[in-house]
Amino acid sequence: MTVEIKLSSRRTDTGGTPLTDKRESLWQDALRRLLRNRAALIGGTIILILVLMAIFADVIAVAPYDKQTLSEQNQVPAYLGAIFPSMKPYMKVSGKYPLGADYVGRDLFSRIVYGTRISLTIALIGPLISLFIGVIYGSISGYFGGRVDNIMMRIVDVLYAFPGLLFIILLMAFFRSTFAKPEPGTLAFFLGKLDASLGGMLFIIIGIGLTGWETQARLTRGQVLSVREKEFIEAAHTIGASDLRIMFRHILPNIIGPLVVVETLAIPGYISLEAFLSFIGLGINPPTPSWGAMIADGANAIRTYPNQAIFPALALAITMFAFNFLGDGLRDALEPRLRGTQ
């Protein structure tokens, strides 16, 4: 009797894992797990739609965001009467405006579409500023340690002691009063012109930049402290690598994942901060549309024309939910302890 024995051409280690199999990298594994997260995919899809809306707002909007037609103020399409029955006694039915018109006859749909640009700009610039300042500050503090670390962290503690929201409100009030009527040729005049050209976003960005980096700095410091004692860092010191090279080539690539996740989860906070400042009149300059300012205007007519407040509030809520879903997905995908569990 002949016994046929088939030998595998692949060598295996003691655990049974083929030695010839090429293992996927951390980033490939993270991408695979992110694509399996349905909530993250939904959030990413919504964000992609919002980005396209912001880019093609001129095409999507049915009217200019600042066009006023006083004779058509508070007009609404007929279907809103079924959604908001309390509106029926006051309805001025018109099919011209998909979501209705506001108190001066501006198209709500167009203003919501253009307002996407403001929110996404804040969502992009806020984390970039926080990452840039916080990562540099926290890296220096954690890498050098000792007296440098102690002094730098006490500065962060002092900044944490002052309420961030109150500081931004005072900062915005100071900026708006100081740069209201500056003398031509001065720095204040230049900053005022730049702020006006950006629709009032400059000082909001400055406020976020001055207050949004402390948490990132603390997180970066902790990550650097945990990595700088690793064997590969000691090896880099042994071969004579400079501090700058060690920081950018060895430490930052190993800690950037958690930092990006934290900033993604912080984006809804930046968006809501801009909306709140616009709501209280310290944010975007009218007539530039901001969801917060639209909610404030609509709140004055919430009983008679609830669509003027509810629709921009829904746009704000959906955007914040989308970034939260994506941030949670990134956190789960980039968490090393979850590697291989999904």
Side-chain angles (χ1 to χ4, degrees):
M1 183 176 62
T2 303
V3 179
E4 183 177 342
I5 301 175
K6 295 183 179 180
L7 297 177
S8 174
S9 61
R10 297 188 303 173
R11 297 171 56 200
T12 60
D13 61 10
T14 55
T17 302
L19 295 178
T20 56
D21 287 350
K22 183 178 180 181
R23 298 187 63 185
E24 60 185 1
S25 67
L26 175 63
W27 294 105
Q28 290 173 331
D29 180 63
L31 178 61
R32 176 179 58 80
R33 286 190 278 120
L34 179 64
L35 293 177
R36 290 184 178 181
N37 190 318
R38 293 183 179 180
L41 287 180
I42 292 173
T45 302
I46 293 174
I47 293 171
L48 178 61
I49 294 173
L50 292 172
V51 170
L52 294 176
M53 286 177 59
I55 295 174
F56 300 104
D58 296 333
V59 178
I60 298 173
V62 298
Y65 66 83
D66 56 350
K67 181 182 179 182
Q68 301 182 12
T69 308
L70 295 178
S71 60
E72 299 175 356
Q73 59 181 334
N74 300 322
Q75 290 189 356
V76 295
Y79 74 88
L80 287 182
I83 300 177
F84 305 109
S86 61
M87 186 188 296
K88 291 183 178 180
Y90 314 98
M91 286 181 63
K92 302 176 184 178
V93 179
S94 172
K96 184 177 179 180
Y97 303 101
L99 299 180
D102 64 6
Y103 67 101
V104 290
R106 296 175 297 193
D107 180 52
L108 281 176
F109 174 76
S110 299
R111 290 181 62 78
I112 290 174
V113 170
Y114 278 101
T116 307
R117 290 181 171 179
I118 301 298
S119 294
L120 291 187
T121 300
I122 297 299
L124 174 65
I125 295 179
L128 288 179
I129 294 175
S130 179
L131 275 172
F132 181 76
I133 300 177
V135 169
I136 292 177
Y137 193 94
S139 297
I140 295 173
S141 176
Y143 184 78
F144 291 102
R147 187 186 182 104
V148 173
D149 179 39
N150 189 37
I151 294 174
M152 295 181 73
M153 285 299 104
R154 296 298 77 76
I155 295 174
V156 173
D157 291 339
V158 171
L159 294 176
Y160 257 119
F162 198 86
L165 181 59
L166 177 60
F167 178 75
I168 291 180
I169 291 175
L170 294 175
L171 195 66
M172 293 299 297
F174 171 77
F175 282 147
R176 291 295 162 86
S177 60
T178 303
F179 297 100
K181 295 182 179 179
E183 297 182 4
T186 62
L187 177 61
F189 180 81
F190 172 75
L191 292 177
K193 285 292 185 180
L194 183 59
D195 180 61
S197 65
L198 295 175
M201 283 194 296
L202 176 64
F203 296 139
I204 296 178
I205 292 171
I206 293 175
I208 292 175
L210 292 176
T211 59
W213 59 271
E214 293 95 340
T215 300
Q216 188 63 257
R218 280 186 166 181
L219 176 63
T220 303
R221 170 185 176 268
Q223 292 289 324
V224 172
L225 286 174
S226 65
V227 172
R228 72 173 187 175
E229 303 300 332
K230 300 289 185 180
E231 291 80 1
F232 64 92
I233 301 297
E234 294 180 3
H237 281 294
T238 302
I239 64 176
S242 64
D243 292 335
L244 196 62
R245 180 180 177 84
I246 292 174
M247 182 62 66
F248 284 97
R249 293 294 300 273
H250 301 288
I251 294 181
L252 284 181
N254 286 280
I255 67 174
I256 195 63
L259 305 183
V260 171
V261 170
V262 168
E263 281 309 308
T264 305
L265 291 171
I267 286 176
Y270 296 132
I271 296 175
S272 63
L273 175 61
E274 180 278 319
F276 174 75
L277 291 174
S278 297
F279 184 88
I280 64 177
L282 292 175
I284 301 302
N285 296 328
T288 303
S290 167
W291 293 340
M294 293 176 66
I295 295 171
D297 293 338
N300 296 324
I302 189 67
R303 293 189 177 183
T304 53
Y305 302 105
N307 62 308
Q308 297 183 17
I310 290 178
F311 286 134
L314 282 175
L316 178 63
I318 290 172
T319 303
M320 294 176 65
F321 274 124
F323 278 105
N324 275 325
F325 289 156
L326 181 60
D328 286 338
L330 286 174
R331 180 186 59 192
D332 294 341
L334 293 173
E335 174 55 58
R337 287 173 297 180
L338 297 179
R339 183 176 172 87
T341 63
Q342 295 183 5

